Amino acid sequence: MEEPKRKRGRKADKTVADTMDYQLSKPGPTSSPMDDSEEAEIAETEAATSRRRRGRPRKSPVIIGQRKENGTSPRRSSRLVDHNRDGAVAVVDLEPPPQWVNVVKVVPSMDAVVKVFCVHTEPNFSLPWQRKRQYSSSSSGFIIGGRRVLTNAHSVEHYTQVKLKKRGSDTKYLATVLAIGTECDIAMLTVKDDEFWEGVSPVEFGSLPALQDAVTVVGYPIGGDTISVTSGVVSRMEILSYVHGSTELLGLQIDAAINSGNSGGPAFNDKGNCVGIAFQSLKHEDVENVGYVIPTPVITHFIQDYEKSGEYTGFPILGVEWQKMENPDLRKAMGMAPDQKGVRIRRIEPTSPEFQFLKPSDIILSFDGIDIANDGTVPFRHGERIGFSYLVSQKYTGENAVVKVLRDSNIHEFNVKLSTHKRLIPAHIKGKPPSYYIIAGFVFTAISVPYLRSEYGKDYEYDAPVKLLDKHLHAMAQSEDEQLVVVSQVLVADINIGYEDIVNTQVLAFNGKPVKNLKSLANMVENCDDEFLKFELDYQQLVVLQMKTAKAATLDILATHCIPSAISDDLRT
């Protein structure tokens, strides 16, 4: 997660990354018990001293360290001379101080890890005609082939300026954002200055690790300015919920510490190859050291997606909601044979390509030739199973897939063109400013997840109005351009007396016509010739305004609140 820098006297605005809190570990013990080798050396020294006191010839001094390859002993850097009372002199060679040039690096590609500095300017959803105060954050990233740098999407979300600094360097280089993958929480950057790329070898990617494989997370977390290394093992591998993208993709769970600022840093295996990107952690009173890493299949998909089309197109989905078929009576009622397995389709997204082929109560038997179990899993690796959505996420937008279904005891195969998800309430606005329309002090806008988070905080799923949450969780868009339009607030004026308490209430119709999206509402109001403007809202509320006086009062309200325009630029076209 990124490490926000706080200005004196002012608290920086929170982002999605702030949903992941951090904990500072307690300092460890200052000393540790001696091991067997240390005890043996001390015993040998004491024995030699004792023999010399009895007049016996002393043995050669003990040389601590390893011999060189040519057979000669290492150079002695110092000696400890002990003058005893009886005049005997005990000489013990000490281990030479370490030469830093000879210290073996833990991770060969550590120099490719960079620190990312970003200045964010987030939209102000409560006042959509302006933006919030800018703030700064720092996170991690790493250099890959093709003069590119990878980091987390939430590290550069709503960026105004991005700068990179290499390890051991005092120069910050301006970076250009090439692509931001909100679903997979990955962003790709580049630097035009040739000096930035000198003397750095790009990170090489390794294969998907197995359980208990050692991983080393490198980055610039909170607690200092220099690079930090934490190690652990892969403890779990499954389909995870990506907090920033509001999606479910393959993820690795590790027990290495991932703190604020580690976001975007690479996770290396024992061979020095990158096997993932640190992006979130789980902080709970009953949980310790649970971090999550974006694995190489997701990273590779993001990179190849960008290379194919020159932009990020997203991860496709199978636009269906399904039900497990583990109950034997349910399988028998659906006409499934004893050897048939699959999942039942509950609903299909009307905007998805699958809507043309699939029907509710179809049983999905296989996807691209891979059989689906009754619990919705498919074979993954030896001894492992994973949700079949992993197979869909491996595809690219626009590619075809063969879906075999059981319908009325007959098997059908459909060649479906996969696409991305169209939600009624989108999870992101993809860096665009929020849309709005104002008439007579009524501020109309479209609902999105960032809007709900801005209005009700990170716990919006508990604090937002029930009807909006129901639409967010269960409603499906009937067309590509459908939006959920609400009255965000009412800017108080004489024209809207009695309507001041209307907040975040959905607009269902205007003058008897259904409201499809915000642009259609603005066009209907602007082109209205009726005497009254009638807005039908949720909860059976009705707002009526006289058309001429409402439009005349709008200019005064805009001037009072220093609003440059009554309509956002994207709604003008």
Side-chain angles (χ1 to χ4, degrees):
M1 281 98 13
E2 53 188 340
E3 173 190 348
K5 295 183 180 178
R6 306 296 185 186
K7 295 189 176 181
R8 177 178 292 181
R10 185 177 182 90
K11 185 177 181 182
D13 296 322
K14 292 185 178 181
T15 63
V16 161
D18 292 323
T19 60
M20 299 298 169
D21 301 324
Y22 64 86
Q23 289 181 328
L24 295 178
S25 58
K26 297 180 180 179
T30 56
S31 61
S32 58
M34 292 185 295
D35 57 19
D36 295 341
S37 61
E38 291 175 337
E39 292 180 353
E41 292 175 4
I42 293 175
E44 179 67 22
T45 304
E46 291 177 350
T49 304
S50 177
R51 285 192 294 269
R52 286 194 295 275
R53 288 177 178 175
R54 293 194 298 268
R56 297 179 181 178
R58 62 185 178 89
K59 292 185 178 181
S60 300
V62 178
I63 299 176
I64 303 174
Q66 299 292 332
R67 292 186 175 272
K68 294 183 178 180
E69 294 181 359
N70 57 10
T72 60
S73 300
R75 181 177 60 86
R76 299 171 186 172
S77 59
S78 61
R79 289 185 176 184
L80 176 65
V81 181
D82 182 15
H83 295 276
N84 299 314
R85 293 180 179 178
D86 56 0
V89 179
V91 181
V92 179
D93 290 325
L94 298 179
E95 184 177 3
Q99 300 292 328
W100 292 112
V101 295
N102 297 328
V103 174
V104 179
K105 294 181 180 179
V106 178
V107 180
S109 302
M110 194 181 299
D111 288 339
V113 182
V114 299
K115 192 169 185 177
V116 180
F117 299 87
C118 183
V119 178
H120 309 259
T121 309
E122 293 185 349
N124 190 336
F125 290 93
S126 299
L127 306 173
W129 50 88
Q130 63 184 31
R131 287 183 175 261
K132 295 181 180 179
R133 184 183 181 92
Q134 68 181 20
Y135 67 96
S136 301
S137 70
S138 67
S139 55
S140 308
F142 59 98
I143 298 173
I144 63 172
R147 296 166 64 99
R148 296 171 296 184
V149 175
L150 291 185
T151 185
N152 279 145
H154 72 256
S155 299
V156 294
E157 185 182 27
H158 304 302
Y159 69 93
T160 301
Q161 184 185 75
V162 182
K163 292 182 288 187
L164 305 178
K165 187 173 74 171
K166 295 192 296 182
R167 181 188 179 200
S169 173
D170 60 350
T171 305
K172 296 179 182 177
Y173 298 87
L174 284 175
T176 302
V177 178
L178 298 177
I180 296 180
T182 53
E183 291 88 350
C184 58
D185 201 2
I186 306 177
M188 182 184 295
L189 318 174
T190 189
V191 176
K192 295 181 181 179
D193 195 335
D194 295 335
E195 182 182 353
F196 176 81
W197 307 102
E198 294 177 357
V200 180
S201 299
V203 167
E204 295 183 359
F205 290 100
S207 58
L208 191 66
L211 295 179
Q212 295 187 339
D213 279 2
V215 290
T216 302
V217 179
V218 183
Y220 294 87
I222 191 171
D225 294 328
T226 57
I227 203 166
S228 171
V229 178
T230 57
S231 60
V233 298
V234 177
S235 55
R236 183 178 293 169
M237 188 180 310
E238 62 181 356
I239 300 296
L240 297 176
S241 175
Y242 282 40
V243 174
H244 178 71
S246 300
T247 52
E248 293 186 348
L249 296 171
L250 182 65
L252 303 180
Q253 178 181 312
I254 62 175
D255 61 358
I258 296 179
N259 293 317
S260 180
N262 261 127
S263 288
F268 294 104
N269 58 15
D270 53 2
K271 297 180 181 179
N273 295 327
C274 177
V275 294
I277 302 175
F279 75 117
Q280 65 188 33
S281 62
L282 179 61
K283 299 300 181 185
H284 190 273
E285 58 183 4
D286 297 330
V287 176
E288 293 182 0
N289 284 347
V290 176
Y292 297 104
V293 171
I294 305 172
T296 45
V298 179
I299 302 172
T300 304
H301 188 287
F302 170 81
I303 296 175
Q304 293 181 354
D305 184 17
Y306 174 79
E307 292 175 346
K308 284 183 176 181
S309 57
E311 61 180 358
Y312 172 75
T313 61
F315 285 74
I317 66 159
L318 196 64
V320 299
E321 293 180 358
W322 51 270
Q323 174 186 358
K324 294 181 180 180
M325 295 293 292
E326 296 176 316
N327 186 274
D329 295 336
L330 178 61
R331 291 197 301 270
K332 186 176 181 180
M334 298 302 297
M336 297 179 65
D339 59 339
Q340 288 180 329
K341 296 181 179 180
V343 293
R344 173 183 173 270
I345 296 177
R346 295 194 293 118
R347 294 196 301 169
I348 308 171
E349 293 275 1
T351 59
S352 66
E354 294 80 11
F355 189 77
Q356 304 175 11
F357 305 98
L358 306 180
K359 296 181 179 180
S361 291
D362 281 353
I363 307 299
I364 304 179
L365 302 177
S366 68
F367 181 88
D368 262 358
I370 300 178
D371 294 336
I372 301 174
N374 290 324
D375 61 352
T377 61
V378 294
F380 183 51
R381 295 190 298 193
H382 179 69
E384 297 179 71
R385 299 188 68 86
I386 199 168
F388 82 95
S389 61
Y390 169 73
L391 302 177
V392 186
S393 66
Q394 290 295 96
K395 293 282 190 175
Y396 292 89
T397 302
E399 287 188 346
N400 292 338
V402 178
V403 179
K404 182 188 293 186
V405 300
L406 178 68
R407 179 185 301 168
D408 299 329
S409 300
N410 296 319
I411 295 179
H412 303 270
E413 286 190 356
F414 300 104
N415 196 357
V416 180
K417 184 178 181 180
L418 301 175
S419 66
T420 54
H421 191 27
K422 170 63 177 70
R423 294 181 177 177
L424 179 62
I425 299 180
H428 286 273
I429 60 174
K430 300 185 183 299
K432 299 178 182 178
S435 304
Y436 69 92
Y437 174 68
I438 302 175
I439 182 71
F442 287 81
V443 181
F444 299 94
T445 188
I447 290 291
S448 63
V449 172
Y451 177 86
L452 294 176
R453 188 179 292 114
S454 174
E455 289 285 296
Y456 302 101
K458 63 180 181 180
D459 294 328
Y460 68 92
E461 292 182 335
Y462 302 96
D463 300 331
V466 174
K467 286 203 172 185
L468 292 183
L469 290 178
D470 180 68
K471 298 282 178 62
H472 168 53
L473 297 174
H474 304 293
M476 292 182 173
Q478 301 299 315
S479 61
E480 288 287 340
D481 58 350
E482 183 179 359
Q483 292 178 318
L484 197 153
V485 181
V486 297
V487 177
S488 172
Q489 61 177 315
V490 179
L491 304 175
V492 177
D494 294 342
I495 188 69
N496 50 47
I497 289 177
Y499 300 134
E500 302 92 340
D501 297 334
I502 299 178
V503 177
N504 292 331
T505 306
Q506 184 181 359
V507 183
L508 302 177
F510 170 74
N511 284 1
K513 298 180 181 178
V515 175
K516 189 177 183 181
N517 51 49
L518 185 58
K519 187 172 183 178
S520 67
L521 174 63
N523 291 334
M524 286 191 295
V525 175
E526 288 295 313
N527 299 323
C528 179
D529 295 328
D530 298 340
E531 182 180 0
F532 293 101
L533 306 177
K534 297 180 182 179
F535 300 92
E536 298 177 28
L537 309 183
D538 211 349
Y539 308 103
Q540 288 77 44
Q541 296 186 77
L542 181 64
V543 172
V544 179
L545 299 169
Q546 195 171 14
M547 188 265 292
K548 291 184 179 180
T549 56
K551 292 186 177 181
T554 301
L555 297 177
D556 294 335
I557 295 174
L558 295 179
T560 301
H561 293 272
C562 301
I563 303 174
S565 175
I567 187 170
S568 56
D569 293 337
D570 61 312
L571 300 181
R572 296 179 184 273
T573 57

